[in-house]
Amino acid sequence: DSGVTQTPKHLITATGQRVTLRCSPRSGDLSVYWYQQSLDQGLQFLIQYYNGEERAKGNILERFSAQQFPDLHSELNLSSLELGDSALYFCASSLGVNEKLFFGSGTQLSVL
Amino acid sequence: GEDVEQSLFLSVREGDSSVINCTYTDSSSTYLYWYKQEPGAGLQLLTYIFSNMDMKQDQRLTVLLNKKDKHLSLRIADTQTGDSAIYFCAERSGSARQLTFGSGTQLTVLP
């Protein structure tokens, strides 16, 4: 158990809908990362937050947004969902910005 | 930009050694990592090496780094069926705040 908690584990929704994925980092970790894992694109970095502030942005679509709250948990919001958004979404946390990443078990999103 | 490459598949017999290879392009890489992903699970950090090191050993795992060739390998001694998983190589360059992952190597351990 990495100590990173993601909910829900599975999410099934329809095209055009909006969903929110939640992540609680390991106790004491200030940095949260979101990754998308799909068969065709592998593991893609989406976005990173550190102590509530956005620190780095990767291949995140404009339809997607995220935030980190004062209690350090993070949410990833995916809107106007398309079939191609079906993927495994991972959250990871680290103590600082250049530390080892610890991953949650992911949220499997299926868009039908 | 950064690029990390791995072969997709590796099969070994139980009890043999496995060697998973990875190449990267960013010469400013500071840390290189190996993660393991079992079916239906997240990525588990196995080990990591700092770029000024050549080798790191941790029980059955040995990491070798050839910085000149930008080549990283993970050797698993006495491979067991429980080692069957996807192994990801990842690197963090000096300028990047996130990890760049390879495509993963599916290790299958045959009885």
Side-chain angles (χ1 to χ4, degrees):
Chain A
D1 182 9
S2 67
V4 178
T5 304
Q6 287 187 250
T7 56
K9 288 195 184 310
H10 303 277
L11 199 47
I12 302 174
T13 188
T15 53
Q17 295 298 304
R18 173 189 167 93
V19 297
T20 297
L21 281 53
R22 185 189 165 101
C23 170
S24 293
R26 288 189 323 156
S27 177
D29 283 359
L30 299 176
S31 202
V32 169
Y33 307 74
W34 286 98
Y35 280 83
Q36 179 194 59
Q37 185 180 35
S38 60
L39 282 174
D40 55 341
Q41 301 234 337
L43 262 168
Q44 295 285 315
F45 168 70
L46 296 178
I47 198 163
Q48 179 203 1
Y49 283 82
Y50 176 77
N51 205 19
E53 300 288 325
E54 182 185 306
R55 290 298 293 262
K57 219 167 187 176
N59 301 323
I60 188 165
L61 300 172
E62 283 191 15
R63 300 183 285 109
F64 296 179
S65 64
Q67 58 184 119
Q68 186 180 28
F69 295 86
D71 68 352
L72 301 176
H73 91 271
S74 179
E75 291 181 357
L76 178 67
N77 300 296
L78 314 176
S79 62
S80 303
L81 284 167
E82 301 175 0
L83 296 177
D85 298 327
S86 295
L88 194 48
Y89 291 84
F90 285 110
C91 168
S93 73
S94 65
L95 180 61
V97 294
N98 286 318
E99 307 284 338
K100 302 183 286 292
L101 267 62
F102 294 88
F103 281 77
S105 53
T107 293
Q108 178 68 60
L109 174 67
S110 299
V111 182
L112 305 177
Chain B
E2 304 91 1
D3 195 19
V4 179
E5 293 195 357
Q6 303 176 237
S7 53
L8 292 180
F9 303 100
L10 176 66
S11 291
V12 299
R13 292 275 175 201
E14 193 173 10
D16 289 349
S17 292
S18 308
V19 180
I20 304 171
N21 294 301
C22 169
T23 58
Y24 59 98
T25 56
D26 193 336
S27 57
S28 69
S29 290
T30 52
Y31 284 95
L32 295 123
Y33 302 82
W34 285 104
Y35 281 84
K36 175 183 180 183
Q37 185 180 26
E38 295 181 85
L43 278 74
Q44 172 196 353
L45 177 63
L46 284 179
T47 187
Y48 64 97
I49 189 167
F50 188 51
S51 57
N52 68 353
M53 297 169 64
D54 298 325
M55 185 183 90
K56 182 178 179 181
Q57 188 150 1
D58 183 2
Q59 299 182 332
R60 293 191 296 121
L61 305 179
T62 303
V63 179
L64 293 177
L65 176 60
N66 181 328
K67 204 173 174 187
K68 174 176 163 290
D69 294 338
K70 300 192 191 74
H71 181 267
L72 182 74
S73 67
L74 174 70
R75 179 177 180 268
I76 305 172
D78 187 26
T79 314
Q80 302 298 307
T81 54
D83 295 323
S84 292
I86 301 176
Y87 290 80
F88 289 92
C89 165
E91 63 102 21
R92 184 197 297 279
S93 70
S95 58
R97 295 193 172 96
Q98 72 280 359
L99 298 187
T100 299
F101 285 85
S103 55
T105 299
Q106 172 75 61
L107 173 65
T108 301
V109 182
L110 305 169

